[in-house]
Amino acid sequence: MIEIRLLTFHYPGTQPLFADFSLTINRGEAWTIIGPSGCGKTTLLYMLAGLRAPAQGGIYIDGEVVTRPRPATGLVLQDHGLLPWETVWDNARLGLKIRAFYGPDGTHSPADMIRDPEGDDQRVRHWLRWLGIDGCAAMYPGQLSRGQRQRAAIARTLALEPDFLLMDEPFSALDAPIRAELQNVMHGFHLESGLTSVTVTHDIEEALILGEKILVLDTNTNSVPRVVNNELGNAEERRLHPEFGTARKRLQELLGQPARSMGT
Ligand code: ADP
Ligand code: MG
């Protein structure tokens, strides 16, 4: 269970993004965070990742306060963070290599650490195949499409077998059809794995496709969380759900945006 308890955060000289903000994320839930640009989505994700510290309050994962990045939390960023001089295979293996250096508890090379290079290879192979890029293993990021690069970044994170997955606008740089495909891949992944996840997005449809719970943030200081339960259920293709348009409209209203044409 992930608990955000009475969290307060502000950047110097600005109004607080969060004040006494509390929220509970249960194990196995897929959350999305949506809100206008600058409302604090990335900041909240970074606090969940242990990369930023709140001024007051705290984040507790399974009862332990987060004070720094946690090895079991996986993070996928918008710009992939792939090393251009390494192949897809080595990039996907990078997290495991770093973990072998630091150890599962983040301590530098503990003497009693169990290394399992064959298991690591298997995990990397599994996720490359699962994400449909096993054919690209020997290629370099520069030879891949954006969608394939993002798949490689996801493979790298999933190979670490995280118990909590954080993604910051992972698909926003992708063209619409590729984005829709990867949204389906990640939704399918959630249905299959039940991994607890939080995905930041500014895209209403993405929020509905990936989130069973949707946290709607505001540009004013966030204190009382606005949480929308996704009523589209766990259909494999939420986009095709008869209520999709209605759910999208409701979320749009909550975000204070004029409803777009209801075409597709
Ligand atoms: P979002 O991801 O929702 O677009 P962010 O969490 O990135 O928003 O940023 C929230 C607000 O905090 C924005 O107004 C942004 O300009 C500001 N901000 C972000 N990072 C910093 C920083 N390092 N120092 C000062 N202000 C920042
Ligand atoms: Mg952001």
Side-chain angles (χ1 to χ4, degrees):
M1 188 162 82
I2 293 99
E3 278 186 281
I4 302 174
R5 287 192 210 150
L6 294 169
L7 177 140
T8 297
F9 182 93
H10 63 91
Y11 289 107
T14 59
Q15 67 159 354
L17 291 169
F18 300 94
D20 294 333
F21 182 88
S22 296
L23 181 77
T24 298
I25 295 171
N26 291 306
R27 279 275 164 219
E29 288 176 343
W31 282 70
T32 45
I33 304 179
I34 193 165
S37 176
C39 68
K41 302 183 294 295
T42 296
T43 304
L44 182 58
L45 199 80
Y46 280 20
M47 286 192 279
L48 287 166
L51 293 167
R52 273 200 192 292
Q56 285 166 42
I59 291 169
Y60 296 79
I61 300 185
D62 300 331
E64 253 185 68
V65 67
V66 175
T67 54
R68 60 185 183 129
R70 210 179 141 257
T73 298
L75 183 62
V76 176
L77 299 174
Q78 186 177 347
D79 58 2
H80 328 298
L82 298 175
L83 301 177
W85 59 86
E86 299 269 30
T87 60
V88 167
W89 175 266
D90 288 331
N91 266 293
R93 226 179 167 296
L94 183 71
L96 292 162
K97 204 165 141 187
I98 294 171
R99 181 176 289 179
F101 189 71
Y102 283 107
D105 63 352
T107 312
H108 181 238
S109 285
D112 58 352
M113 212 187 103
I114 301 157
R115 291 192 171 78
D116 177 20
E118 272 171 39
D120 287 353
D121 283 348
Q122 265 171 27
R123 277 185 280 278
V124 170
R125 206 170 295 124
H126 168 80
W127 287 114
L128 291 182
R129 198 178 307 131
W130 198 86
L131 287 155
I133 50 166
D134 44 332
C136 307
M139 290 161 81
Y140 291 87
Q143 298 173 287
L144 305 179
S145 69
R146 277 173 182 273
Q148 288 170 325
R149 265 180 257 163
Q150 193 57 296
R151 285 171 196 253
I154 292 169
R156 177 176 62 193
T157 301
L158 295 184
L160 288 164
E161 302 185 317
D163 66 7
F164 186 31
L165 178 65
L166 302 173
M167 302 201 285
D168 192 5
E169 309 217 11
F171 312 132
S172 61
L174 307 178
D175 294 336
I178 308 288
R179 189 165 64 212
E181 194 184 318
L182 269 178
Q183 287 165 352
N184 285 346
V185 166
M186 290 318 284
H187 177 52
F189 169 72
H190 176 71
L191 294 182
E192 208 176 297
S193 68
L195 182 63
T196 318
S197 64
V198 177
T199 306
V200 163
T201 180
H202 63 258
D203 183 279
I204 290 176
E205 297 196 354
E206 187 161 291
L208 284 167
I209 288 157
L210 296 179
E212 49 190 306
K213 302 234 175 138
I214 302 161
L215 172 65
V216 182
L217 293 183
D218 199 79
T219 24
N220 296 318
T221 302
N222 292 283
S223 290
V224 180
R226 293 187 294 168
V227 176
V228 175
N229 287 312
N230 193 340
E231 278 158 19
L232 300 177
N234 266 340
E236 243 175 75
E237 270 271 25
R238 281 185 176 143
R239 210 180 259 99
L240 303 178
H241 193 285
E243 293 298 313
F244 188 69
T246 315
R248 182 171 63 183
K249 200 166 163 207
R250 209 174 292 138
L251 201 52
Q252 249 158 1
E253 281 163 5
L254 206 58
L255 282 159
Q257 289 178 10
R260 264 199 295 143
S261 106
M262 287 291 127
T264 37

